[in-house]
Amino acid sequence: KVQRVIIDGLGRTKDDLIIQQVQPIFQADNFEEMVMLSQEVKIKLQRLQLFKHIEIYIDTSKGSKSSVPNGYEVKFNVKETRRFTGETKVTIGSNNPELLFGLKMPNVFGRGERVQVNYGQGVNHVRDFGLNFMKPMYANPDVLFGCGIHQYNGEYPWSGYRELDRALNFNITFPSILGIHTLKWEGVWRDLRSLSRVTSFAVREQSGHSVKSSLKHDFVRDTRDNKVLPTVGSWIRVSQEYAGLGGNVEFAKQDIEFQFNQSLLYDTVLQFSGAFGIMRSLNLKNEIRINDRFFLGGPLTLRGFNIKGVGPHSDGDALGADAYWLLAAHLYTPLPFRPGKGGFGDHFRTHFFANAGNLSNISLNNHIRENVMKLGEMFRWAYGCGIVLNFMSMFRFELNYVVPVRLQRGDSANPGLQFGIGVEFL
Amino acid sequence: MSSLVAEAVQAEIGAYEPWPDNACLYQPYQVEQITFPDYATCLSVKTFLHMCSLDFHTELRINAEEMSPSGKVPFIHVGAFLVAELDPIIAFVNTRGFHLSRELNESERSEMRAYMALIENILVNAELYLAWVDETVSEEITKPRYGYVHPWPLNRLLPWQKQRSMKARLKSISWSNKTIDEVCEEVKTCCQALSEKLDNKQYFFGTRPTELDALVFGHLYTILTTRLPVSRFAVIVEGFSNLAAFCKRVEENFYKKFGREY
């Protein structure tokens, strides 16, 4: 029987939170269960990121207060995190490495709330500044409420514009049987300007200010064993966005991405992945702006093409479109002759792949079948092989030799060697 | 090649192309959006192009100011070229072989440049002062118009941002501290100089219009016809009868006669 649970080392963490967490331990009937439950509590406390250090001591209860002969005492020795911690890291988003400086305040008000201030600088003159607040709800580290403000300034040379975004967002993340859901409201003020005098007129016409107020729902289910070089498992992300509650941007967008991995003999892995997206403007007078459209092409998505090199272009500037699809098949094998086996060489793989896709505007006047046929007919595809490096399970480097087989007029292809770096890939 | 050199080369090569049919002038929406200083510059450019007998059509865009390569309206789209503001447009039109001041001699031409600079320094700044610094006009007219086409919260933020930058610009030339009386004095001096130059002639340099005529018409016509809570500038200009007559003449000869929009 558990007599007492002592938590030593609390400072700013609130008592009611701790009491709620350790309640289950009192239900233990025997020693084994008590140890197991204590471990579970320790893991939960770790996930709430309240403490730097948690140690469990179990002892028989002593003293006159022990009414039960076999009473136990469970003692948690905890060390709270410091009020401020800093971090410097490199993140990579779609071929854009960014150096981030962050100041974190974990467990700010005592119930696991986190405040984070970030400043980042990256390629393409990216300047990124953000302030985020996150709170686990009901002491459950899986249910998170967050809000934040964010300013992002970056150049988009493939389309010939630069954009300054100022955003405010509120979001809730919660799990369900199938996966993790995120519901987000975001209000963004976007200021788009042409990058240079030679920006195509079609992009120049999009210059100016727009305000997007949108509701977004993301669903993610990830059963892979490794995010960068998975050998087994699948990943699927479905997201919907509805913009139009205020602001002057109105559209509905649907986006699905998936990946299946299957391990075969001799450490080879077969991977199928794909993506599909469609959007339509909800305001008959306005068509969708270039900031919101889909783009396709790049060393990690549709290989064989330059970044955003697929689809409608004007004077070399990618314009994006309303709908796209992408399918890819990869075969990963260990490096030939397995150099550096058991160590460095294990981070590399060779891969053979074929990928196909299409990006085009759908016309609302045409029948659905005509649109589907159009998307299916004029597709592009490429195949190739290359080497993939799994960098600390965080990023993926790819160096491929690609042969684009089928292009459409206006595409910007990249035959031959192509190098890509990123986190998300298909 | 650096982009400046590339542009110069492009302009030289383009000089041999004829004026296309689809030349276009971009400006903000006339009725609801444009502020009167911008309207004055747009009218100057339009009058200049009409005086050169060059065809163009006008496109009204909410984001004309952001589309412009220099950030100011109006700008013209001729073939592959984008040119913004009156002086660059005059230079561009000259490379295409159209000269309004062809018959002037050197001293007259430099005189014309001096008068144009006078208008730039006084009338333009006076208009900006009245639109953005004067309390009544900026709160009642300019800011609501500037923000009208944008959604909340930009309809408050953007005019406020613009006002700050206009005030900073006027501060850098020491205009923001002037009182409205001092500004009116400046306008009066400028109009006096113009009136003396015009005298009884049809146009500033005789019987044929020049760039100066286009510029003067653009600004004086705007001052005379824009209805504002503070109408002191209009009163001043009306005090010079030959200037008012000049405006009527240009309006008659280049707009009413052809039924053109302005």
Side-chain angles (χ1 to χ4, degrees):
Chain A
K1 290 286 178 296
V2 178
Q3 186 73 14
R4 291 208 295 188
V5 176
I6 305 177
I7 323 279
D8 195 14
L10 291 178
R12 59 181 192 269
T13 314
K14 295 277 184 278
D15 289 344
D16 55 295
L17 176 72
I18 302 294
I19 295 175
Q20 195 187 7
Q21 292 296 306
V22 303
Q23 282 296 6
I25 300 183
F26 287 107
Q27 317 295 345
D29 284 324
N30 56 49
F31 189 81
E32 225 172 50
E33 228 181 299
M34 178 179 65
V35 172
M36 220 170 58
L37 286 170
S38 310
Q39 271 297 102
E40 277 177 23
V41 169
K42 174 178 174 181
I43 292 177
K44 212 157 180 213
L45 289 175
Q46 274 174 338
R47 291 189 60 206
L48 282 172
Q49 294 184 27
L50 301 168
F51 308 116
K52 229 172 10 185
H53 215 55
I54 307 177
E55 274 170 5
I56 311 179
Y57 295 104
I58 301 183
D59 206 354
T60 48
S61 49
K62 303 174 174 57
S64 55
K65 291 237 172 83
S66 76
S67 52
V68 178
N70 289 331
Y72 285 101
E73 231 174 50
V74 182
K75 185 166 178 202
F76 288 86
N77 251 7
V78 298
K79 192 156 176 222
E80 277 189 344
T81 51
R82 279 194 291 211
R83 280 213 179 253
F84 293 93
T85 52
E87 68 169 358
T88 313
K89 66 178 183 188
V90 176
T91 63
I92 308 210
S94 55
N95 241 40
N96 263 354
E98 205 180 302
L99 180 64
L100 269 184
F101 299 98
L103 187 67
K104 290 207 255 208
M105 295 183 5
N107 199 12
V108 163
F109 301 119
R111 288 197 180 83
E113 302 90 349
R114 307 197 268 281
V115 174
Q116 193 162 359
V117 181
N118 282 320
Y119 173 71
Q121 261 191 289
V123 187
N124 286 332
H125 297 110
V126 165
R127 294 259 187 299
D128 193 354
F129 181 75
L131 171 68
N132 279 307
F133 170 81
M134 198 118 73
K135 179 187 161 82
M137 305 285 282
Y138 312 117
N140 184 343
D142 289 321
V143 179
L144 296 167
F145 165 74
C147 64
I149 57 173
H150 196 211
Q151 176 171 301
Y152 186 90
N153 197 347
E155 289 180 4
Y156 301 77
W158 48 80
S159 288
Y161 67 85
R162 79 167 81 92
E163 191 178 307
L164 172 62
D165 294 332
R166 295 187 176 97
L168 167 70
N169 78 75
F170 294 92
N171 58 74
I172 298 187
T173 309
F174 56 90
S176 74
I177 326 169
L178 296 170
I180 302 177
H181 298 255
T182 308
L183 271 174
K184 178 159 97 160
W185 172 84
E186 191 177 31
V188 196
W189 167 19
R190 291 109 48 114
D191 186 355
L192 191 152
R193 300 294 164 112
S194 306
L195 201 51
S196 74
R197 280 202 160 243
V198 299
T199 301
S200 74
F201 202 73
V203 173
R204 188 175 280 276
E205 280 181 318
Q206 303 273 323
S207 308
H209 302 271
S210 58
V211 174
K212 177 178 86 159
S213 161
S214 67
L215 272 180
K216 198 167 173 190
H217 169 242
D218 269 319
F219 167 73
V220 175
R221 180 187 158 82
D222 192 353
T223 59
R224 302 174 297 181
D225 57 341
N226 184 308
K227 287 202 197 316
V228 177
L229 275 181
T231 59
V232 72
S234 68
W235 171 74
I236 182 165
R237 177 162 77 193
V238 179
S239 68
Q240 290 99 7
E241 188 174 357
Y242 163 67
L245 313 158
N248 57 354
V249 175
E250 292 172 71
F251 62 80
K253 193 194 259 195
Q254 172 78 32
D255 206 349
I256 302 178
E257 291 160 284
F258 60 85
Q259 194 186 92
F260 294 117
N261 299 290
Q262 178 66 46
S263 250
L264 302 172
L265 304 165
Y266 301 123
D267 282 344
T268 56
V269 177
L270 186 62
Q271 180 183 75
F272 285 113
S273 53
F276 169 70
I278 188 168
M279 64 189 297
R280 68 176 262 195
S281 170
L282 297 173
N283 183 339
L284 293 172
K285 278 186 293 179
N286 296 335
E287 56 164 37
I288 300 177
R289 288 167 188 261
I290 197 172
N291 338 40
D292 301 311
R293 295 183 199 149
F294 290 118
F295 290 86
L296 187 61
L300 292 174
T301 49
L302 190 55
R303 297 168 180 82
F305 294 86
N306 283 321
I307 295 190
K308 324 291 183 196
V310 175
H313 279 69
S314 164
D315 279 352
D317 289 333
L319 296 177
D322 297 341
Y324 80 99
W325 61 265
L326 172 65
L327 284 177
H330 299 252
L331 183 68
Y332 295 93
T333 64
L335 290 176
F337 310 117
R338 296 192 185 238
K341 182 174 176 180
F344 192 59
D346 276 348
H347 296 293
F348 288 87
R349 290 281 185 278
T350 44
H351 75 138
F352 305 89
F353 60 86
N355 52 205
N358 195 2
L359 173 77
S360 80
N361 286 307
I362 51 172
S363 162
L364 290 175
N365 292 331
N366 293 348
H367 209 246
I368 289 192
R369 266 193 64 188
E370 279 176 41
N371 283 322
V372 170
M373 299 261 299
K374 185 175 161 209
L375 267 183
E377 271 172 3
M378 315 269 279
F379 66 89
R380 292 91 165 149
W381 75 276
Y383 66 85
C385 64
I387 300 182
V388 180
L389 166 64
N390 173 359
F391 187 75
M392 292 170 42
S393 295
M394 286 198 300
F395 315 130
R396 181 180 167 111
F397 288 90
E398 276 189 33
L399 181 62
N400 299 320
Y401 184 84
V402 198
V403 178
V405 175
R406 195 158 180 242
L407 323 166
Q408 301 296 337
R409 201 155 44 101
D411 286 349
S412 170
N414 186 351
L417 280 178
Q418 194 174 33
F419 176 71
I421 179 173
V423 174
E424 294 188 356
F425 64 97
L426 281 167
Chain B
M1 238 197 290
S2 79
S3 64
L4 280 175
V5 175
E7 277 170 40
V9 169
Q10 243 187 358
E12 276 304 304
I13 295 175
Y16 299 106
E17 289 169 18
W19 191 265
D21 291 329
N22 60 352
C24 211
L25 177 136
Y26 289 85
Q27 66 165 64
Y29 278 87
Q30 195 122 313
V31 178
E32 309 104 341
Q33 186 190 9
I34 198 168
T35 58
F36 69 88
D38 284 338
Y39 179 70
T41 46
C42 289
L43 191 59
S44 304
V45 171
K46 287 196 230 182
T47 314
F48 171 71
L49 290 174
H50 287 313
M51 285 175 176
C52 294
S53 307
L54 291 172
D55 276 326
F56 65 94
H57 57 267
T58 309
E59 277 276 335
L60 303 176
R61 295 291 173 99
I62 293 180
N63 56 344
E65 194 178 354
E66 287 92 17
M67 275 168 74
S68 162
S70 76
K72 298 208 173 70
V73 293
F75 70 95
I76 58 172
H77 187 199
V78 176
F81 297 96
L82 287 170
V83 195
E85 296 177 73
L86 183 65
D87 283 333
I89 290 177
I90 293 176
F92 177 76
V93 166
N94 287 342
T95 66
R96 291 298 180 102
F98 300 94
H99 293 88
L100 270 190
S101 48
R102 208 190 317 247
E103 282 134 23
L104 301 180
N105 58 39
E106 271 309 307
S107 70
E108 283 180 320
R109 204 168 290 149
S110 43
E111 215 186 325
M112 181 182 80
R113 290 259 145 230
Y115 274 101
M116 288 177 78
L118 178 75
I119 295 178
E120 275 291 323
N121 285 333
I122 299 196
L123 277 189
V124 169
N125 290 326
E127 282 164 7
L128 288 175
Y129 180 95
L130 188 61
W132 294 101
V133 177
D134 181 88
E135 290 283 325
T136 331
V137 177
S138 63
E139 294 302 317
E140 282 179 37
I141 308 277
T142 325
K143 280 162 79 169
R145 283 181 73 94
Y146 193 79
Y148 177 75
V149 291
H150 294 286
W152 186 91
L154 294 187
N155 60 354
R156 295 293 161 83
L157 261 175
L158 290 177
W160 176 80
Q161 242 184 4
K162 181 86 177 173
Q163 187 181 38
R164 267 183 53 178
S165 77
M166 287 294 118
K167 278 189 175 169
R169 178 179 150 170
L170 290 176
K171 187 164 181 194
S172 70
I173 46 172
S174 317
W175 268 67
S176 60
N177 290 331
K178 295 193 194 227
T179 63
I180 184 75
D181 292 315
E182 286 170 351
V183 174
C184 286
E185 271 307 305
E186 298 268 1
V187 173
K188 197 160 177 194
T189 327
C190 180
C191 288
Q192 193 129 22
L194 289 173
S195 182
E196 278 172 21
K197 177 66 193 168
L198 181 61
D199 211 14
N200 293 325
K201 305 198 290 283
Q202 227 192 346
Y203 297 106
F204 277 88
F205 285 97
T207 53
R208 308 220 26 215
T210 58
E211 290 91 343
L212 179 61
D213 298 282
L215 183 60
V216 172
F217 172 73
H219 287 276
L220 292 187
Y221 185 83
T222 308
I223 292 176
L224 283 174
T225 55
T226 311
R227 256 183 259 124
L228 294 171
V230 175
S231 57
R232 295 177 59 172
F233 288 9
V235 168
I236 295 173
V237 176
E238 274 163 10
F240 296 92
S241 56
N242 63 344
L243 291 180
F246 167 79
C247 288
K248 274 216 151 39
R249 197 178 309 128
V250 175
E251 189 188 3
E252 185 59 49
N253 290 342
F254 292 98
Y255 289 98
K256 289 209 171 123
K257 200 156 94 176
F258 300 95
R260 288 177 180 145
E261 289 200 347
Y262 54 105

